């Protein structure tokens, strides 16, 4: 465990040293929570109201997401004993609508010298694993065992293991034959499995973080695995690679035109600083992932410059996303959520008695953009059931000033906005959300640089980490001089979707609870609100 944390700190230091030419790097303090441990109310300061959080304690990556028998399962990295990283175990939450979650508790616990690191889960419909008796459908979780050894010289530190459930996901048993895959590289983790119809086998993608590679393994029974190929290093390679996901999607909804998406996290060195995610588009032949250079304008080079990287999210807080498996065919959506945090300040965030949140579930699609193909994300439709107090404004001028929308009944702490804004003659325009006396989070568009941005420099409590105050930007072309924004704001987060979901910015914020104002602004000229729809969003915990 120590060497894992050590390696994380070292890689974080390496970026700081590289960027600032400095030597010496202090690890983040264990915790700087401004609140005392207390009763769980789901109304605590900064508690997200429509994003998943555990009642208490530390959470990181989503794990083992699958659908079975009318229920969506979400597991996540969890410390059962405290509000900082450690004792990693899988905690389970279950939902019937992907919006309201029932907390179930730890289902795969740390035991002895083995922590339970990230991974996936699938429904083994044909009992290929043989874990089930006649007529039973096993659910099989693939996770990384992270072993600590006292004084011994280990053959391996991280290895891939299985746990199975024979009661539809309620309880899991660790497989007695664990681990099922080992490697001499001490960093080898986050296995994610899919059934590959064409080659009639299970495919596992698993990260070799330090090598910046994703390894492919194949299996007929989930117990015995054969190494098939490696992908990488390519794209963003400054930080380590973690938590791969791999799935096939139709382009523009056309089932006859599909591509495979390789999704992998990088930490640090991502587009907004620290942790983030990149994706690759290509084909899979049952052995190897072959990059589609035409669809991505991507040259196969070992150290691609930043412009060549396809970033999943341009904000600071979307990491380790993995998708639900076994979504029924008649639904057909690929959906995921990501950890709304960043290893640069994850432990320092000012929340208690829990730490971290997951993003809202999002659909993931591939769409054509000019001659290329891009990933598009959108909040799932199920979230619309939370909408309340609809307000609308149209053709509203922003005349080089700040205009509060309070009089229009538009303000709040948890809400959704869909807006079409015309740049007019402005150089900079947009919205201020969670605005108060001396604070605001800016969601704006800078006409000169052509960037959509979210700026949390002055968003509230930003002092707990030097990495936190920041402005994140995504390149975005005006369309007929307008931009369309879909914005979700919660008690401690902002998610912005633009350009049909091909540009997304996710950022945590910690504003004062009284900062509820929503304002429009423009600079250097007039901008215009073509239309703006606003809804308050109800709490999923009531
Ligand atoms: C990513 C990660 C994974 C690992 C887990 C440990 O955030 O570092 O690679 O499995 O967290 O909690």
């Amino acid at each position: 465990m120590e060497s894992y944390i050590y390696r994380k700190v070292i890689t974080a230091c390496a970026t700081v040293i590289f960027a600032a030419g400095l030597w010496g790097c202090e690890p983040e303090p264990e915790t700087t929570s401004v609140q005392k441990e207390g009763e769980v109310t789901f109304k605590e300061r900064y508690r997200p109201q429509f994003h998943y959080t555990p009642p208490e304690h530390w959470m990181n990556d989503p794990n083992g997401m699958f659908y079975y028998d009318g229920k969506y399962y979400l597991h996540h990295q969890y410390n059962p004993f405290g509000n900082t990283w450690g004792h990693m175990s899988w905690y389970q939450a279950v939902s019937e609508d992907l919006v309201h979650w029932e907390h179930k508790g730890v289902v795969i616990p740390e035991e002895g010298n083995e922590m339970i690191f990230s991974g996936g889960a699938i429904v083994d419909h044909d009992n290929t694993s043989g874990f089930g008796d006649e007529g039973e459908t096993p659910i099989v979780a693939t996770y990384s065992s992270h072993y600590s050894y006292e004084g011994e010289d280990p053959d391996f530190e991280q290895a891939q293991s299985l746990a199975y459930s024979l009661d539809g996901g309620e309880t899991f048993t660790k497989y007695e034959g664990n681990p099922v895959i080992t490697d001499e590289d001490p960093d080898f983790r986050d296995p994610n499995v899919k059934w590959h119809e064409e080659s009639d086998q299970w495919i596992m993608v698993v990260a070799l973080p330090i090598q910046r590679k994703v390894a492919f393994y194949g299996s007929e029974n989930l117990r015995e695995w054969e190494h098939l190929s490696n992908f990488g290093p390519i794209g963003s390679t400054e930080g380590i690679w973690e938590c791969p996901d791999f799935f096939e999607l139709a382009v523009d909804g056309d089932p006859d035109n599909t591509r495979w998406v390789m999704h992998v996290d990088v930490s640090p060195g991502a587009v907004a600083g620290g942790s983030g995610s990149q994706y690759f588009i290509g084909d899979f032949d049952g052995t190897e992932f072959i990059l589609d250079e035409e669809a991505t304008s991507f040259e196969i080079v070992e150290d691609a410059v930043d412009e060549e990287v396809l970033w999943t999210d341009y904000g600071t807080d979307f990491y380790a996303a993995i998708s639900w498996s076994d979504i029924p065919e008649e639904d057909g959506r690929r959906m995921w959520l990501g950890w709304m945090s960043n290893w640069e300040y994850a432990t320092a965030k000012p929340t208690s008695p829990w730490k971290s949140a997951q993003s809202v579930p999002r659909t993931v699609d591939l769409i054509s953009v000019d001659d290329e193909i891009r990933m598009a994300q959108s909040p799932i439709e199920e979230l619309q059931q939370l909408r309340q107090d609809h307000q609308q404004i149209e053709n509203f001028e922003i005349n080089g000033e700040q205009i509060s929308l309070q009089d229009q009944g538009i303000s709040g702490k948890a809400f959704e906005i869909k807006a079409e804004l015309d740049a007019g003659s402005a150089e900079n325009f947009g919205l201020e959300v969670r605005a108060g006396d001396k604070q605001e989070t800016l969601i704006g568009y800078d006409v000169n640089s052509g960037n959509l941005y979210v700026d949390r420099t002055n968003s509230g409590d930003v002092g707990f980490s030097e990495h936190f105050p920041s402005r994140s930007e995504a390149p975005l072309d005006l369309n007929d001089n307008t931009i369309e924004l879909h914005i979700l704001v919660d008690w401690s987060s902002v998610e912005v979707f633009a350009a049909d979901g091909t540009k997304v910015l996710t950022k945590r914020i910690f504003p004062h609870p009284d900062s509820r104002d929503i304002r429009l602004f423009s600079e250097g000229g007039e901008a215009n609100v073509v239309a703006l729809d606003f809804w308050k969003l109800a709490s999923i915990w009531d």
Side-chain angles (χ1 to χ4, degrees):
M1 159 172 143
E2 253 156 33
S3 59
Y4 170 78
I5 295 175
Y6 175 75
R7 280 196 296 275
K8 281 242 174 214
V9 172
I10 289 296
T11 19
C13 280
T15 337
V16 174
I17 290 163
F18 184 74
L22 297 171
W23 292 99
C25 171
E26 293 291 318
E28 289 289 356
E30 271 290 277
T31 175
T32 57
S33 283
V34 294
Q35 290 189 296
K36 297 273 166 287
E37 301 279 329
E39 203 195 330
V40 176
T41 61
F42 282 91
K43 293 289 169 212
E44 300 91 346
R45 189 178 182 121
Y46 306 139
R47 173 76 84 171
Q49 295 300 295
F50 61 92
H51 289 84
Y52 175 83
T53 53
E56 54 180 356
H57 297 162
W58 167 273
M59 165 176 78
N60 56 290
D61 318 349
N63 297 149
M65 316 236 289
F66 64 92
Y67 172 92
Y68 184 69
D69 201 17
K71 291 186 180 138
Y72 302 89
Y73 287 78
L74 158 67
H75 297 88
H76 55 78
Q77 289 286 279
Y78 184 69
N79 180 353
F81 304 108
N83 209 2
T84 52
W85 188 90
H87 302 285
M88 298 325 293
S89 302
W90 279 27
Y91 186 99
Q92 184 181 82
V94 181
S95 175
E96 285 177 18
D97 62 3
L98 286 165
V99 175
H100 300 89
W101 294 94
E102 196 186 330
H103 295 107
K104 294 289 195 180
V106 169
V107 288
I108 312 182
E110 168 198 49
E111 262 175 303
N113 73 337
E114 184 201 23
M115 283 202 281
I116 313 300
F117 272 21
S118 289
I122 46 86
V123 181
D124 182 13
H125 293 283
D126 296 331
N127 192 19
T128 60
S129 62
F131 286 135
D133 282 336
E134 184 86 34
E136 280 180 327
T137 305
I139 314 275
V140 181
T142 52
Y143 66 87
S144 291
S145 300
H146 180 91
Y147 303 100
S148 52
Y149 303 87
E150 269 167 37
E152 290 168 49
D153 196 11
D155 288 338
F156 47 81
E157 220 170 275
Q158 297 183 341
Q160 313 325 318
S161 293
L162 309 177
Y164 58 91
S165 171
L166 298 177
D167 54 12
E170 234 170 85
T171 58
F172 282 85
T173 305
K174 289 174 189 158
Y175 172 43
E176 62 203 9
N178 282 340
V180 293
I181 312 177
T182 62
D183 190 277
E184 50 196 38
D185 191 327
D187 281 79
F188 178 45
R189 57 180 179 269
D190 310 335
N192 209 322
V193 168
K194 299 271 152 24
W195 177 253
H196 186 238
E197 198 65 49
E198 288 75 22
S199 61
D200 206 26
Q201 61 178 335
W202 297 102
I203 297 294
M204 179 194 287
V205 285
V206 51
L208 290 157
I210 308 294
Q211 300 180 46
R212 279 68 166 167
K213 284 182 188 164
V214 173
F216 281 87
Y217 286 81
S219 173
E220 280 170 13
N221 58 14
L222 294 161
R223 299 181 195 219
E224 293 145 320
W225 293 89
E226 183 199 350
H227 181 250
L228 300 174
S229 63
N230 286 337
F231 175 73
I234 188 172
S236 175
T237 55
E238 186 182 329
I240 58 167
W241 281 20
E242 299 184 307
C243 302
D245 198 1
F246 188 59
F247 42 81
E248 189 177 18
L249 286 177
V251 180
D252 300 322
D254 175 1
D256 296 326
N257 182 20
T258 64
R259 295 287 190 291
W260 282 84
V261 175
M262 163 67 76
H263 189 254
V264 65
D265 298 292
V266 42
S267 181
V271 62
S275 321
S277 328
Q278 58 181 331
Y279 65 94
F280 303 88
I281 297 171
D283 285 313
F284 184 65
D285 63 7
T287 306
E288 252 184 296
F289 175 64
I290 304 126
L291 205 63
D292 184 336
E293 290 181 59
E294 215 166 289
T296 55
S297 316
F298 206 105
E299 273 182 62
I300 302 186
V301 286
E302 289 230 336
D303 289 302
V305 289
D306 260 6
E307 301 86 74
E308 287 168 320
V309 177
L310 299 179
W311 296 106
T312 311
D313 193 304
Y314 286 81
T316 34
D317 299 270
F318 189 77
Y319 196 66
I322 55 166
S323 59
W324 271 278
S325 78
D326 296 280
I327 296 295
E329 246 170 63
E330 57 276 17
D331 179 329
R333 289 175 295 175
R334 175 68 49 186
M335 293 180 285
W336 70 9
L337 47 71
W339 180 45
M340 282 208 293
S341 196
N342 190 309
W343 281 113
E344 282 193 328
Y345 47 73
T347 52
K349 282 184 307 214
T351 66
S352 176
W354 84 101
K355 197 84 82 191
S356 291
Q358 305 294 348
S359 75
V360 290
R362 304 169 178 182
T363 52
V364 188
D365 291 291
L366 289 179
I367 63 171
S368 303
V369 178
D370 302 325
D371 291 338
E372 298 176 339
I373 302 175
R374 289 292 177 270
M375 177 191 286
Q377 299 178 72
S378 182
I380 55 160
E381 280 177 4
E382 284 88 334
L383 288 163
Q384 293 175 14
Q385 64 186 278
L386 302 176
R387 288 175 173 177
Q388 298 175 334
D389 298 342
H390 182 212
Q391 306 291 338
Q392 197 175 38
I393 54 175
E394 273 177 350
N395 210 5
F396 189 96
E397 219 166 78
I398 324 169
N399 192 1
E401 57 203 21
Q402 274 178 346
I403 310 164
S404 165
L405 295 177
Q406 190 95 40
D407 291 347
Q408 268 76 17
I410 297 178
S411 73
K413 289 171 73 182
F415 56 87
E416 175 178 1
I417 287 178
K418 282 186 133 180
E420 184 182 351
L421 307 177
D422 191 313
S425 57
E427 286 177 14
N428 181 22
F429 64 97
L431 298 112
E432 294 180 3
V433 298
R434 297 305 310 268
D437 207 7
K438 290 195 183 69
Q439 57 186 238
E440 70 285 310
T441 299
L442 302 173
I443 302 170
Y445 187 78
D446 181 334
V447 177
N448 295 324
S449 67
N451 279 323
L452 173 68
Y453 62 86
V454 177
D455 190 334
R456 69 177 176 201
T457 316
N458 193 33
S459 56
D461 188 351
V462 298
F464 53 86
S465 160
E466 55 169 326
H467 298 293
F468 193 77
S470 63
R471 167 175 160 137
S472 300
E473 299 176 338
L476 181 75
D477 291 333
L478 287 171
N479 182 6
D480 239 351
N481 215 37
T482 68
I483 54 169
E484 283 185 42
L485 303 176
H486 190 178
I487 301 168
L488 296 175
V489 174
D490 203 340
W491 285 15
S492 57
S493 64
V494 176
E495 284 158 289
V496 181
F497 301 82
D500 299 319
T502 57
K503 298 289 163 64
V504 185
L505 288 139
T506 304
K507 275 175 105 67
R508 297 302 300 277
I509 50 169
F510 299 100
H512 191 281
D514 292 341
S515 298
R516 297 161 188 229
D517 217 4
I518 300 173
R519 303 172 189 147
L520 299 166
F521 71 89
S522 78
E523 282 173 8
E526 274 170 29
N528 188 49
V529 177
V530 182
L532 184 149
D533 287 279
F534 166 90
W535 299 267
K536 285 208 163 86
L537 294 178
S539 175
I540 61 173
W541 307 118
D542 287 342

